[in-house]
């Protein structure tokens, strides 16, 4: 049997958090659906730059690198090794927002085009999805909404759970003959029940991108040494003879090809005289097959090899949930994310419709909690844990408590 007073308290906070969060959830699910089609939407432009006519002889990768340097003012950081003879060679500069892809025709030695991440339509969709086009302030708003979505799921499960027993079909089929409000409420609740674990997994994949939670997660990784090893992204060597000529980029590409790495393989260029050539592959279908190799730029000798096993467990988990969030694990993952996003949108809209049908004039319809109700130790522990896990949620709880205390104080002053 459920605690009736606790159920009313849960229902109140599910209601209040839903009123605040639902408009944002509708936006997040809509932009998420759009962004899932990023590769398809941008494929036309990419192919127009990437596909080239094959002629008798191509320039060396070293020569293409030299050509690329003359075609952009950006500092080139890496090159993606083409997978076919009819593909232009992609030279990359910058990361994330400053990411540029410059394509060089290996036969004509000219640039076929350049894609600047900031200038794409999907970049704007991603910024709307992740920060409401408001920069760091928007990121924190999204993080706060994501934190309260966890509360929505937990309270929603408790409120929906049957008081004693239900018929089996009530777990699957909304009641149609009990009126529109009941139908939309059931549609919202049943969908939320069956997808609650999946929603939490998707939220886990989105929170690492945030400022406060994401920053704290990175700090824990550093303190526990469960992230990337320090030599994964930054490696330098001192045993080199000054004035010695570097090996050609073609020699490094040959070594990279001999490794037979799956997925997209790229070569990062030395950042200084002490820098190295680095070869790595991106393979979302099986993250465990990703690796990184550092080569001496003067002798071509392998200096350091990293496999997925060298990556800390927190980083492995983080990369997995983030890739899952983006539907990167293959068609099954993409389809699952698309369906889930549509169901989240439908679930949110059904909640809004149910509320509008329930709401009385001149009233928000906030559920009432018995005056004598008090939280038990167990609930206080759960709330405290969530406050520590989700700092912005914790901050909002403190603000709510202060507001409630002020409201109670004003009432007592007025009565006296």
């Amino acid at each position: 049997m459920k605690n009736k007073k606790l159920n009313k308290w849960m229902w109140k906070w599910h209601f209040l958090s839903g009123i605040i969060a639902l408009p944002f959830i509708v936006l997040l699910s809509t932009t998420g659906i759009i962004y899932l089609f990023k590769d398809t939407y941008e494929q036309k432009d990419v192919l127009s730059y990437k596909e080239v006519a094959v002629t008798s002889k191509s320039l060396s990768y070293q020569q293409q690198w030299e050509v690329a340097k003359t075609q952009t003012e950006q500092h080139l950081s890496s090159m993606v090794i083409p997978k076919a003879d009819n593909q232009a060679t992609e030279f990359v500069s910058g990361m994330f927002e400053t990411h540029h892809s410059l394509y060089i025709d290996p036969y004509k030695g000219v640039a076929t085009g350049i894609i600047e991440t900031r200038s794409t339509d999907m970049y704007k969709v991603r910024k709307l999805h992740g920060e409401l086009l408001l920069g760091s302030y928007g990121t924190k708003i999204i993080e706060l909404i994501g934190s309260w979505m966890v509360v929505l799921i937990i309270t929603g499960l408790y409120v929906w759970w049957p008081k004693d027993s239900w018929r089996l079909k009530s777990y699957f089929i909304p009641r149609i003959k009990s009126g529109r409000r009941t139908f939309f409420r059931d549609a919202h609740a049943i969908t939320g029940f069956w997808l609650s674990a999946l929603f939490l997994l998707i939220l886990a994949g989105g929170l690492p991108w945030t400022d406060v939670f994401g920053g704290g997660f990175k700090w824990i990784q550093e303190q526990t040494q469960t992230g990337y090893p320090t030599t994964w992204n930054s490696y330098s060597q001192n045993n080199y003879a000054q004035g010695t000529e570097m090996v050609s980029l073609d020699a490094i590409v040959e070594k990279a090809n001999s490794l037979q790495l799956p997925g997209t393989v790229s070569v990062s260029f030395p950042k200084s005289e002490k820098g190295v050539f680095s070869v790595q592959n991106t393979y979302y279908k099986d993250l465990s097959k990703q690796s990184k190799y550092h080569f001496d730029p003067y002798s071509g000798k392998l200096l350091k090899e990293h496999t997925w096993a060298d990556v800390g467990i927190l980083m492995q988990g983080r990369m997995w949930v983030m890739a899952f969030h983006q539907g990167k694990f293959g068609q099954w993952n993409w389809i699952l994310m698309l369906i889930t996003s549509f169901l989240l949108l439908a679930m949110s809209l059904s909640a809004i419709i149910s509320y509008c049908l329930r709401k009385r004039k001149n009233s928000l319809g906030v559920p009432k909690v018995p005056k004598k109700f008090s939280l038990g130790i167990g609930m206080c522990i759960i709330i405290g844990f969530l406050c520590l896990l989700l700092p912005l949620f914790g901050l909002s709880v403190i603000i709510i408590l202060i507001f409630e205390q002020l409201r109670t104080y004003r009432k007592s002053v007025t009565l006296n």
Side-chain angles (χ1 to χ4, degrees):
M1 293 291 291
K2 289 199 299 184
N3 185 313
K4 292 183 179 179
K5 291 182 179 180
L6 178 60
N7 189 73
K8 290 181 179 180
W9 183 85
M10 287 277 200
W11 168 224
K12 175 184 177 180
W13 285 106
H14 183 78
F15 177 88
L16 290 173
S17 55
I19 288 291
I20 297 170
L22 276 177
F24 293 97
I25 297 174
V26 170
L27 175 64
L28 288 172
S29 55
T30 302
T31 52
I33 290 169
I34 296 171
Y35 198 72
L36 282 170
F37 290 90
K38 174 182 180 294
D39 292 341
T40 303
Y41 180 79
E42 295 179 344
Q43 187 177 26
K44 183 179 179 181
D45 288 336
V46 173
L47 288 179
S48 66
Y49 297 150
K50 199 168 186 178
E51 290 187 347
V52 297
V54 180
T55 57
S56 58
K57 187 177 181 180
S58 65
L59 298 175
S60 68
Y61 288 110
Q62 185 70 34
Q63 290 172 320
Q64 294 178 56
W65 186 13
E66 297 302 326
V67 171
K69 290 177 184 177
T70 66
Q71 298 299 310
T72 179
E73 296 180 356
Q74 302 292 325
H75 175 72
L76 299 177
S77 57
S78 63
M79 181 197 78
V80 179
I81 300 177
K83 294 182 178 180
D85 292 337
N86 67 334
Q87 289 185 356
T89 306
E90 180 184 356
F91 289 87
V92 177
S93 61
M95 296 177 64
F96 307 117
E97 297 182 3
T98 60
H99 184 277
H100 287 62
S101 289
L102 172 66
Y103 295 91
I104 300 296
D105 187 325
Y107 303 100
K108 297 180 180 179
V110 297
T112 59
I114 184 170
I115 295 178
E116 300 179 12
T117 297
R118 280 187 176 181
S119 64
T120 62
D121 294 332
M122 283 299 175
Y123 171 77
K124 298 179 178 65
V125 174
R126 182 167 67 86
K127 299 299 281 186
L128 181 60
H129 182 79
E131 57 186 49
L132 305 174
L133 302 179
L134 297 174
S136 62
Y137 295 104
T139 302
K140 291 176 178 63
I141 293 173
I142 293 297
E143 180 176 354
L144 183 60
I145 295 301
S147 301
W148 275 97
M149 282 180 69
V150 175
V151 177
L152 271 171
I153 294 169
I154 295 173
T155 55
L157 285 172
Y158 189 89
V159 170
W160 178 81
W161 199 261
K163 295 179 181 179
D164 36 43
S165 62
W166 273 14
R167 292 175 298 173
L168 182 61
K169 72 174 186 179
S170 299
Y171 288 88
F172 299 91
I173 303 172
R175 288 169 285 183
I176 300 175
K177 298 180 180 180
S178 300
R180 289 187 301 163
R181 184 175 74 83
T182 301
F183 169 78
F184 284 111
R185 184 186 65 188
D186 284 359
H188 169 79
I190 292 171
T191 305
F193 169 72
W194 288 109
L195 295 180
S196 56
L198 188 55
F199 287 153
L200 288 173
L201 183 59
I202 292 171
L203 282 170
L207 285 171
W209 272 295
T210 60
D211 291 345
V212 182
F213 177 90
F217 194 86
K218 290 178 182 177
W219 182 83
I220 293 174
Q221 284 182 177
E222 293 172 359
Q223 300 304 309
T224 58
Q225 296 183 347
T226 50
Y228 281 116
T230 55
T231 52
W232 181 283
N233 291 319
S234 178
Y235 193 90
S236 60
Q237 49 87 33
N238 296 314
N239 298 323
Y240 72 98
Q242 292 187 2
T244 304
E245 187 175 348
M246 286 188 179
V247 298
S248 68
L249 178 57
D250 297 76
I252 301 300
V253 171
E254 186 177 347
K255 291 180 180 294
N257 290 334
S258 68
L259 296 171
Q260 297 183 334
L261 301 174
T264 301
V265 182
S266 61
V267 178
S268 297
F269 308 135
K271 298 178 181 178
S272 65
E273 287 184 338
K274 295 182 181 181
V276 297
F277 281 109
S278 300
V279 174
Q280 70 178 61
N281 66 313
T282 303
Y283 191 57
Y284 288 112
K285 290 184 178 180
D286 187 352
L287 295 179
S288 65
K289 293 183 179 180
Q290 294 188 149
S291 53
K292 193 160 189 174
Y293 300 82
H294 298 299
F295 292 94
D296 188 317
Y298 301 99
S299 67
K301 178 183 177 182
L302 177 62
L303 299 172
K304 187 72 175 179
E305 174 185 351
H306 282 302
T307 64
W308 189 247
D310 297 319
V311 181
I313 187 170
L314 286 185
M315 178 58 80
Q316 287 186 1
R318 176 186 173 191
M319 295 303 293
W320 196 95
V321 292
M322 289 173 75
F324 180 83
H325 183 95
Q326 299 175 87
K328 293 284 190 179
F329 288 135
Q331 190 173 32
W332 70 268
N333 187 195
W334 186 89
I335 292 173
L336 179 62
M337 288 302 302
L338 182 65
I339 292 174
T340 305
S341 298
F342 270 115
L343 289 175
L344 178 59
L345 178 60
M347 183 179 127
S348 302
L349 293 175
S350 64
I352 294 172
I353 293 171
S354 176
Y355 167 70
C356 292
L357 292 172
R358 171 183 178 274
K359 180 180 177 298
R360 297 177 181 178
K361 289 184 178 180
N362 302 320
S363 173
L364 286 175
V366 180
K368 294 182 179 180
V369 178
K371 293 181 179 180
K372 294 183 178 180
F373 171 75
S374 61
L375 287 174
I377 295 176
M379 281 303 303
C380 289
I381 292 173
I382 292 173
I383 294 171
F385 172 76
L386 288 175
C387 289
L388 290 174
L389 180 66
L390 306 166
L392 287 188
F393 166 73
L395 179 61
S396 66
V397 168
I398 292 173
I399 293 173
I400 290 170
L401 290 175
I402 292 173
F403 177 78
E404 285 293 319
Q405 289 297 320
L406 290 174
R407 192 163 66 92
T408 303
Y409 175 75
R410 287 182 63 185
K411 280 186 176 180
S412 64
V413 171
T414 303
L415 291 174
N416 293 331

